[in-house]
Amino acid sequence: MNAEEKSGKKIVVLFSGGLDSSTMLAQAVQEREEGEEIIVISFLYGQKHKKELESAKAISKHYEVEHKLVQLPQLEGSSLTSEEEIESKTEKEALPSTFVPGRNILFLALGAAQGFMRSTREEKLEIWIGATAADQEGYPDCRIAFMEKMEEALKDGLDRPLLKVKSPLVKLTKKEIVLEAVKLGVPLELTWTCYEGGEKPCGECDSCFFREEGFREAGVKDPLKE
Ligand SMILES: [Zn+2]
Protein backbone atom coordinates (compact mmCIF):
# COMPACT_ATOMS: atom_id res chain seq x y z
CA MET A 1 0.00 0.00 0.00
CA ASN A 2 1.49 3.36 -0.94
CA ALA A 3 1.27 6.57 1.08
CA GLU A 4 -1.52 7.96 -1.05
CA GLU A 5 -3.76 4.95 -0.51
CA LYS A 6 -3.04 5.06 3.21
CA SER A 7 -4.42 8.55 3.56
CA GLY A 8 -7.60 7.57 1.74
CA LYS A 9 -10.80 8.97 3.14
CA LYS A 10 -13.61 6.59 4.11
CA ILE A 11 -17.16 7.68 3.34
CA VAL A 12 -19.97 5.78 5.03
CA VAL A 13 -23.27 6.45 3.24
CA LEU A 14 -26.44 5.71 5.24
CA PHE A 15 -28.66 4.41 2.51
CA SER A 16 -32.36 3.60 2.25
CA GLY A 17 -32.63 3.10 -1.51
CA GLY A 18 -34.99 6.06 -1.80
CA LEU A 19 -34.69 9.11 -4.02
CA ASP A 20 -32.87 11.24 -1.43
CA SER A 21 -30.19 8.83 -0.31
CA SER A 22 -29.68 7.57 -3.89
CA THR A 23 -28.93 11.14 -4.96
CA MET A 24 -26.56 11.46 -2.02
CA LEU A 25 -24.79 8.23 -2.99
CA ALA A 26 -24.39 9.55 -6.55
CA GLN A 27 -22.81 12.70 -5.09
CA ALA A 28 -20.41 10.61 -3.00
CA VAL A 29 -19.43 8.54 -6.04
CA GLN A 30 -18.88 11.69 -8.08
CA GLU A 31 -16.79 13.41 -5.38
CA ARG A 32 -14.72 10.36 -4.54
CA GLU A 33 -11.05 10.74 -5.26
CA GLU A 34 -8.55 8.02 -5.89
CA GLY A 35 -7.83 5.90 -2.84
CA GLU A 36 -11.06 6.92 -1.13
CA GLU A 37 -13.53 4.25 -0.18
CA ILE A 38 -17.34 4.32 -0.01
CA ILE A 39 -19.18 1.94 2.29
CA VAL A 40 -22.96 1.88 1.89
CA ILE A 41 -25.05 0.76 4.85
CA SER A 42 -28.78 -0.02 4.98
CA PHE A 43 -30.68 -0.96 8.09
CA LEU A 44 -33.49 -3.38 8.78
CA TYR A 45 -35.42 -1.97 11.72
CA GLY A 46 -38.86 -3.48 11.32
CA GLN A 47 -39.98 -1.07 8.61
CA LYS A 48 -43.08 -2.13 6.68
CA HIS A 49 -41.55 -0.91 3.46
CA LYS A 50 -38.75 -3.45 3.18
CA LYS A 51 -38.95 -3.15 -0.58
CA GLU A 52 -36.64 -0.16 -0.30
CA LEU A 53 -33.86 -2.57 0.65
CA GLU A 54 -34.13 -4.32 -2.73
CA SER A 55 -33.65 -0.89 -4.25
CA ALA A 56 -30.69 -0.23 -1.97
CA LYS A 57 -29.06 -3.43 -3.14
CA ALA A 58 -29.70 -2.77 -6.83
CA ILE A 59 -28.46 0.83 -6.68
CA SER A 60 -25.30 -0.14 -4.77
CA LYS A 61 -24.65 -2.71 -7.49
CA HIS A 62 -25.22 -0.05 -10.14
CA TYR A 63 -22.55 2.16 -8.54
CA GLU A 64 -20.27 -0.81 -7.79
CA VAL A 65 -19.93 0.06 -4.13
CA GLU A 66 -19.89 -2.27 -1.15
CA HIS A 67 -23.33 -2.63 0.43
CA LYS A 68 -23.78 -3.76 3.98
CA LEU A 69 -27.13 -4.66 5.52
CA VAL A 70 -27.37 -4.26 9.28
CA GLN A 71 -30.17 -5.96 11.20
CA LEU A 72 -31.51 -3.99 14.16
CA PRO A 73 -34.20 -4.93 16.62
CA GLN A 74 -37.65 -3.60 15.77
CA LEU A 75 -37.68 0.14 16.41
CA GLU A 76 -41.03 0.95 17.94
CA GLY A 77 -43.21 4.00 18.28
CA SER A 78 -43.74 4.83 14.61
CA SER A 79 -46.39 4.20 11.96
CA LEU A 80 -43.51 2.99 9.76
CA THR A 81 -42.87 0.03 12.04
CA SER A 82 -46.29 -0.81 13.43
CA GLU A 83 -49.96 -0.53 12.56
CA GLU A 84 -50.53 1.66 15.56
CA GLU A 85 -49.70 5.30 15.67
CA ILE A 86 -48.35 6.68 18.89
CA GLU A 87 -50.00 9.99 19.72
CA SER A 88 -47.86 12.82 20.95
CA LYS A 89 -48.89 14.38 24.23
CA THR A 90 -49.76 17.87 23.05
CA GLU A 91 -50.41 19.53 19.72
CA LYS A 92 -47.28 21.61 20.12
CA GLU A 93 -45.09 18.60 20.68
CA ALA A 94 -46.68 16.64 17.88
CA LEU A 95 -44.24 14.74 15.73
CA PRO A 96 -45.16 13.09 12.44
CA SER A 97 -46.40 9.52 12.92
CA THR A 98 -43.57 8.49 10.58
CA PHE A 99 -40.97 9.73 13.05
CA VAL A 100 -39.03 6.70 14.31
CA PRO A 101 -37.71 7.54 17.79
CA GLY A 102 -33.96 7.04 17.99
CA ARG A 103 -33.52 5.97 14.37
CA ASN A 104 -31.02 8.52 13.15
CA ILE A 105 -29.14 8.45 16.46
CA LEU A 106 -28.64 4.71 15.99
CA PHE A 107 -27.90 4.96 12.25
CA LEU A 108 -25.20 7.57 12.78
CA ALA A 109 -23.66 5.69 15.70
CA LEU A 110 -23.64 2.37 13.85
CA GLY A 111 -22.41 3.99 10.64
CA ALA A 112 -19.58 5.61 12.54
CA ALA A 113 -18.76 2.31 14.25
CA GLN A 114 -18.53 0.59 10.84
CA GLY A 115 -16.34 3.39 9.56
CA PHE A 116 -14.18 3.17 12.67
CA MET A 117 -13.40 -0.46 11.94
CA ARG A 118 -12.39 0.41 8.38
CA SER A 119 -10.16 3.39 9.05
CA THR A 120 -7.34 4.63 11.24
CA ARG A 121 -7.28 7.62 13.58
CA GLU A 122 -5.22 9.53 10.99
CA GLU A 123 -7.70 8.98 8.15
CA LYS A 124 -10.65 11.16 7.35
CA LEU A 125 -13.94 9.47 8.13
CA GLU A 126 -17.24 10.89 6.91
CA ILE A 127 -20.73 9.66 7.72
CA TRP A 128 -23.28 10.87 5.15
CA ILE A 129 -26.97 11.06 6.01
CA GLY A 130 -29.77 12.10 3.65
CA ALA A 131 -31.68 14.67 5.72
CA THR A 132 -33.40 17.24 3.49
CA ALA A 133 -34.85 20.75 3.80
CA ALA A 134 -38.36 19.26 4.06
CA ASP A 135 -37.32 17.17 7.09
CA GLN A 136 -36.19 20.16 9.12
CA GLU A 137 -39.53 21.06 10.64
CA GLY A 138 -40.99 17.71 11.59
CA TYR A 139 -38.00 15.53 12.38
CA PRO A 140 -35.72 16.70 15.21
CA ASP A 141 -33.10 14.09 14.31
CA CYS A 142 -32.73 15.54 10.79
CA ARG A 143 -31.88 19.06 11.92
CA ILE A 144 -28.50 20.69 11.40
CA ALA A 145 -28.02 21.40 15.12
CA PHE A 146 -28.56 17.72 15.92
CA MET A 147 -26.06 16.62 13.25
CA GLU A 148 -23.43 18.96 14.66
CA LYS A 149 -23.93 17.58 18.16
CA MET A 150 -23.78 13.98 16.93
CA GLU A 151 -20.55 14.77 15.12
CA GLU A 152 -19.02 16.08 18.34
CA ALA A 153 -20.30 13.08 20.33
CA LEU A 154 -18.98 10.56 17.79
CA LYS A 155 -15.60 12.28 17.52
CA ASP A 156 -15.20 12.12 21.28
CA GLY A 157 -16.76 8.72 21.82
CA LEU A 158 -14.69 7.04 19.10
CA ASP A 159 -11.57 9.16 19.55
CA ARG A 160 -11.66 10.06 15.87
CA PRO A 161 -10.78 13.76 15.63
CA LEU A 162 -11.18 13.73 11.82
CA LEU A 163 -14.72 12.32 11.85
CA LYS A 164 -17.40 14.39 10.10
CA VAL A 165 -21.17 13.98 9.85
CA LYS A 166 -22.33 15.33 6.50
CA SER A 167 -25.86 15.93 5.30
CA PRO A 168 -25.32 17.18 1.75
CA LEU A 169 -29.04 17.43 0.94
CA VAL A 170 -30.01 19.42 4.01
CA LYS A 171 -30.74 22.64 2.13
CA LEU A 172 -32.37 21.03 -0.91
CA THR A 173 -36.09 20.83 -1.61
CA LYS A 174 -37.55 17.73 -3.25
CA LYS A 175 -37.62 19.55 -6.58
CA GLU A 176 -33.93 20.39 -6.28
CA ILE A 177 -33.13 16.81 -5.31
CA VAL A 178 -34.93 15.51 -8.42
CA LEU A 179 -32.95 17.95 -10.59
CA GLU A 180 -29.68 16.93 -8.89
CA ALA A 181 -30.57 13.24 -9.39
CA VAL A 182 -31.20 13.82 -13.10
CA LYS A 183 -27.95 15.79 -13.44
CA LEU A 184 -25.97 12.99 -11.80
CA GLY A 185 -27.70 10.24 -13.79
CA VAL A 186 -29.22 8.46 -10.78
CA PRO A 187 -31.06 5.31 -11.94
CA LEU A 188 -34.41 6.69 -10.78
CA GLU A 189 -36.26 3.60 -11.97
CA LEU A 190 -34.44 1.61 -9.26
CA THR A 191 -35.27 3.95 -6.37
CA TRP A 192 -38.15 3.24 -3.97
CA THR A 193 -39.80 5.92 -1.90
CA CYS A 194 -43.28 4.67 -0.93
CA TYR A 195 -43.95 3.82 2.73
CA GLU A 196 -46.08 0.88 1.59
CA GLY A 197 -44.34 -2.10 0.09
CA GLY A 198 -46.61 -2.79 -2.87
CA GLU A 199 -45.75 -3.65 -6.48
CA LYS A 200 -46.13 -0.02 -7.48
CA PRO A 201 -45.96 3.15 -5.35
CA CYS A 202 -49.30 3.62 -3.56
CA GLY A 203 -49.57 7.26 -4.60
CA GLU A 204 -51.27 8.11 -1.32
CA CYS A 205 -48.69 8.11 1.46
CA ASP A 206 -46.75 11.25 2.44
CA SER A 207 -43.63 9.91 0.87
CA CYS A 208 -45.35 9.30 -2.50
CA PHE A 209 -46.97 12.73 -2.27
CA PHE A 210 -43.68 14.56 -1.82
CA ARG A 211 -41.94 12.49 -4.47
CA GLU A 212 -44.72 13.24 -6.96
CA GLU A 213 -44.66 16.90 -6.08
CA GLY A 214 -40.88 17.03 -6.50
CA PHE A 215 -40.98 15.42 -9.93
CA ARG A 216 -43.87 17.62 -11.03
CA GLU A 217 -42.16 20.84 -9.91
CA ALA A 218 -38.91 19.75 -11.53
CA GLY A 219 -40.74 18.98 -14.78
CA VAL A 220 -39.35 15.44 -14.82
CA LYS A 221 -41.31 12.26 -15.46
CA ASP A 222 -41.00 9.70 -12.67
CA PRO A 223 -40.04 6.37 -14.30
CA LEU A 224 -41.91 4.52 -11.51
CA LYS A 225 -45.13 6.06 -12.79
CA GLU A 226 -44.79 4.60 -16.27
ZN1 LIG B 1 -46.79 5.47 -1.10
Side-chain angles (χ1 to χ4, degrees):
M1 194 184 270
N2 64 34
E4 210 170 287
E5 278 173 332
K6 261 187 173 170
S7 65
K9 181 165 78 182
K10 301 288 187 296
I11 302 171
V12 177
V13 176
L14 304 180
F15 190 50
S16 73
L19 171 66
D20 300 340
S21 60
S22 298
T23 305
M24 182 173 73
L25 174 58
Q27 289 177 327
V29 168
Q30 199 197 36
E31 277 182 32
R32 172 174 50 180
E33 288 174 15
E34 222 177 319
E36 296 183 353
E37 195 185 342
I38 296 174
I39 305 142
V40 174
I41 305 184
S42 305
F43 297 94
L44 272 164
Y45 57 94
Q47 66 268 54
K48 289 186 277 180
H49 49 306
K50 287 196 190 73
K51 190 176 168 135
E52 66 178 18
L53 295 170
E54 291 166 32
S55 288
K57 216 167 143 186
I59 295 161
S60 302
K61 199 172 164 201
H62 172 88
Y63 283 113
E64 298 177 341
V65 289
E66 181 189 341
H67 182 233
K68 205 173 155 65
L69 189 60
V70 176
Q71 174 77 56
L72 299 178
Q74 168 109 359
L75 300 185
E76 294 171 273
S78 170
S79 64
L80 293 191
T81 53
S82 93
E83 298 304 327
E84 244 174 277
E85 292 184 16
I86 309 294
E87 300 282 335
S88 281
K89 287 192 182 68
T90 68
E91 275 296 312
K92 208 177 166 204
E93 285 169 17
L95 291 162
S97 74
T98 48
F99 175 66
V100 185
R103 182 175 62 178
N104 284 355
I105 296 172
L106 287 168
F107 284 9
L108 285 166
L110 293 167
Q114 288 290 332
F116 177 92
M117 292 189 277
R118 308 286 286 269
S119 61
T120 67
R121 194 171 185 274
E122 288 69 42
E123 284 174 331
K124 287 184 184 158
L125 171 60
E126 293 183 356
I127 320 301
W128 287 32
I129 182 163
T132 72
D135 298 327
Q136 296 304 298
E137 201 180 328
Y139 299 92
D141 61 354
C142 287
R143 293 180 191 146
I144 296 167
F146 162 73
M147 300 297 172
E148 288 171 354
K149 285 178 189 153
M150 275 304 281
E151 180 179 287
E152 286 309 310
L154 294 168
K155 271 161 90 163
D156 286 355
L158 292 168
D159 188 28
R160 282 294 155 90
L162 301 181
L163 185 148
K164 278 196 166 22
V165 171
K166 286 182 112 177
S167 31
L169 308 175
V170 82
K171 296 215 166 112
L172 300 188
T173 63
K174 204 57 107 184
K175 172 191 168 184
E176 289 167 329
I177 292 168
V178 172
L179 291 173
E180 176 78 353
V182 170
K183 192 179 95 189
L184 294 172
V186 171
L188 290 166
E189 69 285 0
L190 298 179
T191 63
W192 185 260
T193 300
C194 180
Y195 286 147
E196 307 294 332
E199 271 298 299
K200 292 221 149 222
C202 76
E204 281 169 21
C205 72
D206 273 6
S207 200
C208 278
F209 175 82
F210 290 119
R211 178 174 172 129
E212 272 176 41
E213 190 180 62
F215 273 89
R216 193 172 56 242
E217 288 179 357
V220 175
K221 192 161 175 24
D222 185 347
L224 291 187
K225 288 270 152 191
E226 274 161 19

